Amino acid sequence: MVLYVDDILICRRNKKLFEEAANVLKRNFEMKDMGYPKIFLGITIRKTDNGLCLSLEDQIDKIEKEFDFSTTERKLNTPLVKGFDKKVDNSPLLNKVDHSTYRSIIGKLSFFANTVRLDIAFTVSYLSRFLENPTEYKMKAAKRALQYVIQTKHFKLYYNNKLPVKLKYTDFTYLDKTETEVEVEYPDEGKLNLILVSDADWAGDIGERKTQSG
């Protein structure tokens, strides 16, 4: 069961288990069975032939109407401009109204990044560092990130349950030593149908020369 305040999702192996769980809840709480979920916490859920598809198009449409500012027609390929860094920011601090708008934009983007839009995780993480004292330069970056999300609102997160049976995993035990990492082919019963992609720069923080990621 997935519970958020008064919204509940129940995942099951068979119908009998689902009915038993639902009956227990109905005996103790006043509740309504809404059937198969179409939207949960603003996330659109759709069945596919191979699993599930999650989307935020409806939410992004609402956000686009909420924030009234001119958007660029130029296609944005990234949520954050290349070379963006806090050390080169000498622009003025935002006034009280714009400061509130900045916090609101980052709050919306944070929800996107933590649910479906994993591609903006680093951008949101970075811009969240300046919530107390954002500048005009940071506001420009926040608006760009929002425009990127609007332009790419069709992006979806797919959960595929028909991946190949044989998967190879890299053992990273030796990455901090001189040995070479080893690829191991695990047996079927121990396989994990998970493909992980990590995006990190190399000493991208100009001021402190630290590597950063989402």
Side-chain angles (χ1 to χ4, degrees):
M1 294 184 187
V2 180
L3 173 66
Y4 185 87
V5 188
D6 60 350
D7 291 318
I8 304 175
L9 286 182
I10 302 178
C11 305
R12 61 177 173 82
R13 287 185 179 274
N14 59 62
K15 189 174 182 180
K16 185 174 183 296
L17 288 175
F18 166 75
E19 291 175 346
E20 289 177 358
N23 289 332
V24 170
L25 291 170
K26 289 176 182 177
R27 283 198 299 268
N28 292 276
F29 304 98
E30 182 180 344
M31 59 185 298
K32 185 178 181 180
D33 184 357
M34 304 295 291
Y36 186 84
K38 295 181 179 179
I39 296 181
F40 186 72
L41 304 181
I43 303 171
T44 301
I45 304 172
R46 182 171 60 85
K47 281 185 178 179
T48 68
D49 293 337
N50 298 327
L52 291 174
C53 169
L54 306 184
S55 168
L56 286 170
E57 282 193 66
D58 291 339
Q59 285 296 307
I60 295 173
D61 284 337
K62 293 178 182 178
I63 300 303
E64 186 175 6
K65 296 176 181 177
E66 178 181 344
F67 294 101
D68 183 23
F69 61 87
S70 58
T71 57
T72 179
E73 294 183 2
R74 178 172 55 88
K75 183 179 180 181
L76 302 177
N77 294 316
T78 60
L80 196 65
V81 66
K82 183 178 180 181
F84 183 90
D85 194 275
K86 65 179 183 295
K87 301 299 182 182
V88 299
D89 185 2
N90 297 315
S91 62
L93 293 174
L94 296 177
N95 58 44
K96 189 174 182 179
V97 174
D98 289 340
H99 186 173
S100 178
T101 301
Y102 180 87
R103 296 175 70 92
S104 182
I105 291 175
I106 299 304
K108 305 290 187 184
L109 293 176
S110 180
F111 170 74
F112 295 164
N114 284 291
T115 52
V116 176
R117 295 302 302 271
L118 311 181
D119 55 318
I120 63 170
F122 170 74
T123 298
V124 173
S125 172
Y126 189 84
L127 294 179
S128 295
R129 303 176 194 177
F130 313 104
L131 288 173
E132 290 302 318
N133 296 293
T135 62
E136 293 179 1
Y137 182 60
K138 301 301 186 304
M139 173 63 96
K140 185 177 180 181
K143 288 183 175 180
R144 174 195 168 93
L146 185 56
Q147 290 181 54
Y148 168 81
V149 168
I150 292 171
Q151 287 187 5
T152 57
K153 62 184 178 182
H154 59 283
F155 281 11
K156 299 174 176 63
L157 186 62
Y158 289 92
Y159 287 92
N160 189 336
N161 60 13
K162 292 185 179 179
L163 292 175
V165 174
K166 294 289 185 179
L167 294 175
K168 286 188 176 181
Y169 298 92
T170 301
D171 189 336
F172 292 103
T173 305
Y174 303 112
L175 279 186
D176 57 346
K177 302 177 183 179
T178 57
E179 291 90 341
T180 303
E181 60 270 22
V182 181
E183 279 199 351
V184 181
E185 189 167 309
Y186 292 94
D188 294 351
E189 60 270 19
K191 73 179 188 297
L192 298 173
N193 288 344
L194 173 66
I195 296 176
L196 175 68
V197 178
S198 177
D199 180 22
D201 63 3
W202 184 257
D205 189 318
I206 296 175
E208 300 177 3
R209 308 311 296 169
K210 293 180 179 178
T211 299
Q212 308 172 90
S213 77

